[in-house]
Amino acid sequence: MIATRGEKPLRLRYFQKYLEQHGENDNLPLLPNDLDFWIEVQRFKDGHHAYSDQVLLKKKVEVIVDCFLDSQASTPSVQIDIPSEIAAKLIRYGENYVRDRGKDPHNPSLFDEAQHGVFREMLPYWAGFLRQFDMKKLEREPSVSKNQKLTQERLKAFLAMEEPNTVFRLPSVNPQGKSGATIITFSISDGLQWKDRLKSTSTRSSLALWLST
């Protein structure tokens, strides 16, 4: 049931990195997608139970088809290591599932043929991964996500920043304004300025009167 969690377990995250590296070397660039597909199909199957949300499961089918079997954003459209004829057949099955067509449209084993196929592709790499990596050591190491790493780098850069040498001086306060009080204003063109409160109020009143006429 670990595949039903929102985030991949640590072992699978390291395995996906292993697939990315060896997939490029072996001219199998879709291997990381195979793992994602296997996990998403497992989540889809785990979603079938006594309290299944059929609307959610139909959305899941559409997402799996659009991302892995008939991608409009990537080339080739089949983004996993299965034959195109199997992908075409599963697309039809997916349409039947979403549109409630056929004798048994809501079969949780809808994607089993493709799931078993990508599993066979990944199996030799899983064996090599287990031989190469010390999982006990990896499980003791904290896992840092991309966002966490980016945040740490930004914090490090911020702490390493030097303080500016420029001294910023505010304009002096004029205590002798006509109304006995002043206000501070800021604009891109004029910067910080002190203005007489009465004059500022008079200007706003004139603008309001002009807009109302």
Side-chain angles (χ1 to χ4, degrees), residues 4-60:
T4 60
R5 300 175 185 172
E7 186 178 358
K8 294 186 187 76
L10 179 63
R11 179 176 298 206
L12 289 185
R13 294 204 295 274
Y14 278 108
F15 180 49
Q16 189 156 42
K17 292 181 180 179
Y18 182 87
L19 290 177
E20 291 174 0
Q21 176 185 351
H22 289 271
E24 291 184 2
N25 295 339
D26 297 343
N27 198 26
L28 293 171
L30 300 181
L31 276 175
N33 295 354
D34 291 345
L35 179 60
D36 285 330
F37 175 79
W38 190 94
I39 292 173
E40 292 305 322
V41 170
Q42 194 62 39
R43 289 171 174 166
F44 166 72
K45 293 197 293 187
D46 291 344
H48 289 77
H49 47 71
Y51 304 100
S52 296
D53 185 337
Q54 200 60 45
V55 174
L56 182 62
L57 288 173
K58 289 181 179 181
K59 290 291 184 183
K60 189 72 171 177

Side-chain angles (χ1 to χ4, degrees), residues 187-198:
S187 68
I188 298 297
S189 58
D190 300 328
L192 290 170
Q193 289 187 335
W194 293 98
K195 290 186 178 180
D196 182 86
R197 183 185 297 275
L198 180 60

Side-chain angles (χ1 to χ4, degrees), residues 104-117:
D104 185 20
H106 303 145
N107 191 332
S109 62
L110 165 66
F111 298 110
D112 275 8
E113 185 175 5
Q115 190 186 32
H116 296 157

Side-chain angles (χ1 to χ4, degrees), residues 22 24 30 33 36 39 64 67-68 82-83 107 113 124 148 155-156 158 166 174 178 205 209:
H22 289 271
E24 291 184 2
L30 300 181
N33 295 354
D36 285 330
I39 292 173
I64 290 175
C67 290
F68 300 105
I82 61 170
N107 191 332
E113 185 175 5
Q148 290 173 327
L155 177 60
K156 184 178 179 181
F158 174 77
T166 304
N174 178 15
K178 294 181 180 179
S205 299
L209 180 62

Side-chain angles (χ1 to χ4, degrees), residues 164-199:
N165 297 324
T166 304
V167 177
F168 297 97
R169 298 185 182 277
L170 294 176
S172 59
V173 178
N174 178 15
Q176 303 298 327
K178 294 181 180 179
S179 62
T182 56
I183 59 174
I184 190 170
T185 64
F186 173 79
S187 68
I188 298 297
S189 58
D190 300 328
L192 290 170
Q193 289 187 335
W194 293 98
K195 290 186 178 180
D196 182 86
R197 183 185 297 275
L198 180 60
K199 183 181 297 185

Side-chain angles (χ1 to χ4, degrees), residues 73-90:
S74 306
T75 303
S77 59
V78 180
Q79 285 291 298
I80 55 176
D81 290 302
I82 61 170
S84 57
E85 57 270 19
I86 293 180
K89 179 172 61 176
L90 295 181

